[in-house]
Structure formats: structure tokens, C-alpha cells
Amino acid sequence: MRADAVRSRRRILDAAREVFLERGLDAPLDLIVRRAGVGPATLYRRYPDREALVRDLTGDLLTRLESAAETAAAVDDDAFAAVRRFVHAAADLRMGAAILVLLEGLVVDEELVLIRTRAANTVETLIQAAHETGRLRRDVGMGDLVLLSIRLSRPLPGGLDRLDPDGSLLHRHLDLALDGLTAASSDEPAATAGPGVPLTFADLITAAARPTTAG
Amino acid sequence: MRADAVRSRRRILDAAREVFLERGLDAPLDLIVRRAGVGPATLYRRYPDREALVRDLTGDLLTRLESAAETAAAVDDDAFAAVRRFVHAAADLRMGAAILVLLEGLVVDEELVLIRTRAANTVETLIQAAHETGRLRRDVGMGDLVLLSIRLSRPLPGGLDRLDPDGSLLHRHLDLALDGLTAASSDEPAATAGPGVPLTFADLITAAARPTTAG
DNA sequence: CTTAAGCGGAGAGATTTTCTCCGCTTTCAG
DNA sequence: CTGAAAGCGGAGAAAATCTCTCCGCTTAAG
């Protein structure tokens, strides 16, 4: 693959992630083209249709996500610290794009499902370990963490993103929120949230699966 | 005002809030019409242009928001509980719409600014009281709370909203996150987030103000 | 029961979006 | 350095979407 082609692909993928997050998966490709600073032909040449683009973007993000999970598991001794690291990394990748895109029902691709499963397993292991150390609330599951990461890292409308040009506010808010997910110790009055049911990754997938076959 | 007109207005306003949150302030009015289940003429008859709609929506939400703040202040003895109640109420109203709309630069209307200021003052009082009880972290300001409420209550793309048909998950996550905003007591190991600077409401306004006069 | 206010659908006109053709530029192997 | 193949961007036609109005029917309220 030629060097300039690689560059274009990266630009398009980055732009697509932002635009899809801001405007939804059916945003005009035109916007992506403009944000990427490439000509329309460059996009259409590589991706014959919208789905091809979505597929490539998903694969890209999932791969990076999985490697983030592995890094987190390898670097931190403490399981909760590893979870924390992973959530931050996921937010940096704007995992929301991967998830929403992945689950919009477009992807039946076996290879992607494989990557997804592998990433999910790695993270699940991390979370179980954190549960066992007692630092992570038992009623907080992977679904909760994923949702948290999606919500806090999603681009905001109305220029509010200017509040956080370098992402430091995002990470600060993530840290604060993560503190709310720690298990209450016996004498800690802070945790006022009642007990609940952990949200699993499978819950997310089920929810996002288009009700195509239903009815 | 005739009863069916009142009903139409309510439908349109509710639909507009959702659509603006999902697609941004320049979403097609057509979508709003469709979601509201009314004819296009019904919208255009009441609102000659987009701005009129935005203005009415903003006023509606801000008024309700202010009354939520007052209720919270009146009902709860504990200041932190009042803040908590207010944040939940704000999320129910999808405050995000009010804020984004307010701040997208459209509103120069004196009346709206007045309502906004009144609402902000009420909330600010609540927050200061919560700071003084020592239960709310000093480095968490109104801007942080507003942002949190916006982020957690914003509609999600890709069918993920099906996870939470009745809003209970939203409130659960809010509670968890709010627990992260409590002040660390001397022997509490949970709060790992380092100290930071509180985000004020003014910060939000400044950030969102369109750089119209700039340049 | 009258009457005026309000409603929704059809659709013309304007705008936006998709997608391709083609001449110019960049990469890279030899 | 040079040639050839791969890649690029802009212009713009065709299709799709969006805006906004006219008008005959329905509903509310006195």
C-alpha cells in the first residue's frame, strides 16, 4: 500500500469516527470527506459503500481496543488499577464509535466477531479480578463500564467540547466517576447508590441488535 | 389556547428536544414533525422559523429546570441530598437540550437570560451548601455537575437506549457517579482522583458562546 | 349547533448528498 | 533520476432530502 494511501485511510477513519459519533451512523459521507480534508473520490475509491467504511472503522477500533486491554492487564499489578487504565484508554479511542458501529446490526462479519469476542474476554477477566480484590463494586459489570466510557468520551454538541481541548477534563471526570464505582467499605458513608444488577457486555449486544428478524 | 393546540405544542417540544439532542441543533425539522406525529403545517404555523422553536423549547426547559432546583432546595434538609435530587431531576428533563440550545449562540433574548440566571443562582446556592457540609468535593463545581447530567442523560446512538426503557439505569449510573463526587474522608481509600479545579457555569457559557464577534 | 381555530397531507421548489469522470500529482522500483 | 502506475482532488450530473405553503377536513368551545 502506497504511503499516501495509508495517510488518506487514517484521515478518513479518524474523521469518520468523529462524524459518526456526532451525527449518527447515517451521517452524510460528505461531512467525513470534508473533515478528513480529502476529495470525495478518495473515499469512494477505497470504500464502495457506507458499509465497507463502517466495517473498516470497526475493525480498526476493535483491534486497538483489544491491545489496550492487553496492555492494561500486563502493566498494572492491581486489578482495579488495570480496569481504570483500560477505561481511560477506551475513552481515548472513543470506544463509543466501535460499539455503536459494531452493534448497529451491520456487522455479521465473522472476523470482526472474533476480534470483538477476544477483546471482551480480556476485559471480562480484568473485571472479574477487580471484583475479587473487592475494590470494584460487584454490581458493576462490563456493560456499565463500557456505557460510562461511551458517555463520557462522546463529543458534545454546541461547542461545549472547547471546554476540554486536550482531554484532561475527560480523564478527570472519568476518575471521579470511577471512584463512585468502588466498593463501599464497611465504614464508608460515601456510597449512597443502592445495590443493583451489573450490566453485561451481552446486554449491550442484545440491546443494540436491530430488531430485524423480530415482528 | 385551544386544547388540541396545547397538545400539539407539547408533542412538538418533546420531539424537538430529543431530535436536537440526537442530531444537533440543525437537525431537519422534518424529523421533529415525524417524531411528534403531527403534520408539517402544525409546526410551521406555530413557529415561523427554526429560531422561534428553539426559543420556545429553551424557555420551556429552563422554567422547568428552575422549578426543579427550587423543589430540591425545599424538600431536602441535607444539602448534598438536594444536589443529588436536582441532578436527577435535571437528567429527567434532559437538561442537555436546554444547555446546548441556550448556548449555541442563538439566545440573546433578555427574558431567557433572566430565567437562566435565576436557575443558575438557585443551583449555585445548593452547591455551596453541599460544599460546606463537606460531603461534596470542593473541586467539583456546577459546571461539572451540569456536564455530568448532560452526558449521562443524552440519548445514545445505535439502539443502545433500549437498555433503559424506563430511565432506571440512568438514575442508577447517576447515583454511582455522584458517589464519586463525594469528598474523601480522612480514612477513605476509594477516592483516587487527584484534586482538580471546579468547572463553573460561567465556564460552560464561555465555551459554548459562538465565536461570532471574535476574529 | 355554529363558527372559528386548528389539523394533516400533497407536493413545488430549494438545498443537500451521492458518486463518477478525468486531468494532475505523488510514490517508488529500477 | 526517471518512468510508469497508483493515487489524488475538483467539478458537476443525478438522486435524495428538506423546507414551507395551500387547502379541504376535523375538532374544540361557546
Side-chain angles (χ1 to χ4, degrees):
Chain A
M1 200 168 171
R2 253 175 63 168
D4 50 357
V6 172
R7 209 179 315 131
S8 290
R9 172 171 176 271
R10 186 76 269 139
R11 281 174 166 212
I12 289 175
L13 252 27
D14 288 346
R17 184 182 56 182
E18 299 305 311
V19 170
F20 283 151
L21 276 173
E22 282 167 19
R23 305 270 312 237
L25 210 48
D26 51 0
L29 298 182
D30 192 35
L31 279 187
I32 296 174
V33 159
R34 244 178 295 161
R35 168 154 340 185
V38 303
T42 302
L43 189 153
Y44 287 102
R45 194 176 321 107
R46 183 175 311 283
Y47 304 111
D49 53 23
R50 183 181 297 265
E51 188 178 331
L53 169 60
V54 167
R55 193 179 299 277
D56 195 25
L57 174 60
T58 307
D60 178 57
L61 281 170
L62 273 184
T63 306
R64 291 160 78 186
L65 195 66
E66 198 209 342
S67 103
E70 276 164 5
T71 303
V75 166
D76 287 299
D77 289 339
D78 175 43
F80 186 74
V83 167
R84 181 180 291 269
R85 181 186 299 274
F86 168 73
V87 171
H88 280 277
D92 278 335
L93 287 173
R94 301 196 190 284
M95 174 160 63
I99 297 298
L100 87 89
V101 142
L102 235 191
L103 301 182
E104 186 91 6
L106 281 169
V107 175
V108 219
D109 186 298
E110 282 213 26
E111 192 196 337
L112 286 184
V113 172
L114 200 75
I115 305 182
R116 179 178 79 186
T117 306
R118 213 161 44 208
N121 285 343
T122 309
V123 177
E124 193 57 52
T125 306
L126 236 52
I127 288 175
Q128 269 171 24
H131 278 156
E132 270 154 32
T133 67
R135 294 259 285 129
L136 181 65
R137 285 179 68 123
R138 292 269 173 189
D139 58 0
V140 168
M142 178 156 155
D144 298 289
L145 289 171
V146 166
L147 228 44
L148 183 71
S149 171
I150 290 178
R151 301 208 102 121
L152 292 195
S153 67
R154 204 164 157 221
L156 284 170
L160 248 32
D161 275 330
R162 257 172 294 188
L163 281 171
D164 192 23
D166 63 350
S168 59
L169 187 62
L170 158 63
H171 290 295
R172 169 163 177 66
H173 280 173
L174 269 181
D175 271 337
L176 288 170
L178 280 167
D179 279 343
L181 306 186
T182 53
S185 58
S186 52
D187 62 346
E188 184 195 321
T192 53
V197 180
L199 198 66
T200 67
F201 188 63
D203 289 336
L204 294 188
I205 302 213
T206 307
R210 274 256 179 77
T212 16
T213 50
Chain B
M1 202 168 170
R2 254 176 62 169
D4 51 356
V6 173
R7 209 180 316 132
S8 290
R9 174 172 175 268
R10 185 79 270 139
R11 281 176 165 209
I12 289 175
L13 252 26
D14 288 347
R17 182 182 58 182
E18 299 306 308
V19 169
F20 283 149
L21 276 174
E22 281 167 20
R23 305 268 313 237
L25 211 46
D26 51 0
L29 298 183
D30 194 34
L31 279 188
I32 296 175
V33 159
R34 242 177 298 161
R35 169 158 336 191
V38 303
T42 301
L43 189 155
Y44 286 102
R45 194 176 320 111
R46 183 176 312 282
Y47 304 110
D49 53 22
R50 180 181 298 265
E51 188 180 331
L53 170 60
V54 167
R55 192 178 299 277
D56 195 25
L57 174 60
T58 307
D60 178 56
L61 282 170
L62 273 184
T63 305
R64 291 160 80 187
L65 195 66
E66 200 210 340
S67 102
E70 276 164 5
T71 302
V75 167
D76 287 300
D77 288 337
D78 176 43
F80 186 74
V83 167
R84 180 181 291 268
R85 180 186 299 273
F86 169 73
V87 170
H88 280 276
D92 277 334
L93 287 173
R94 302 200 189 285
M95 176 159 62
I99 300 295
L100 86 88
V101 142
L102 237 190
L103 300 182
E104 186 91 5
L106 280 171
V107 175
V108 220
D109 186 300
E110 282 212 26
E111 193 196 336
L112 286 184
V113 172
L114 200 76
I115 305 183
R116 180 179 77 186
T117 307
R118 215 162 41 209
N121 285 343
T122 309
V123 178
E124 192 58 52
T125 306
L126 237 51
I127 289 175
Q128 269 173 21
H131 279 156
E132 270 153 32
T133 67
R135 294 259 284 131
L136 181 66
R137 285 180 69 124
R138 292 268 174 190
D139 59 359
V140 167
M142 178 155 151
D144 298 289
L145 288 172
V146 166
L147 229 44
L148 183 71
S149 171
I150 291 178
R151 302 207 102 122
L152 291 195
S153 68
R154 214 169 149 214
L156 285 169
L160 248 33
D161 275 329
R162 255 170 297 188
L163 281 171
D164 193 20
D166 63 350
S168 60
L169 187 63
L170 158 62
H171 290 296
R172 171 165 175 66
H173 280 172
L174 269 181
D175 271 337
L176 289 170
L178 279 167
D179 279 342
L181 306 185
T182 54
S185 58
S186 52
D187 60 346
E188 184 194 321
T192 52
V197 180
L199 198 66
T200 66
F201 188 63
D203 288 336
L204 295 189
I205 302 216
T206 307
R210 273 255 180 77
T212 17
T213 52

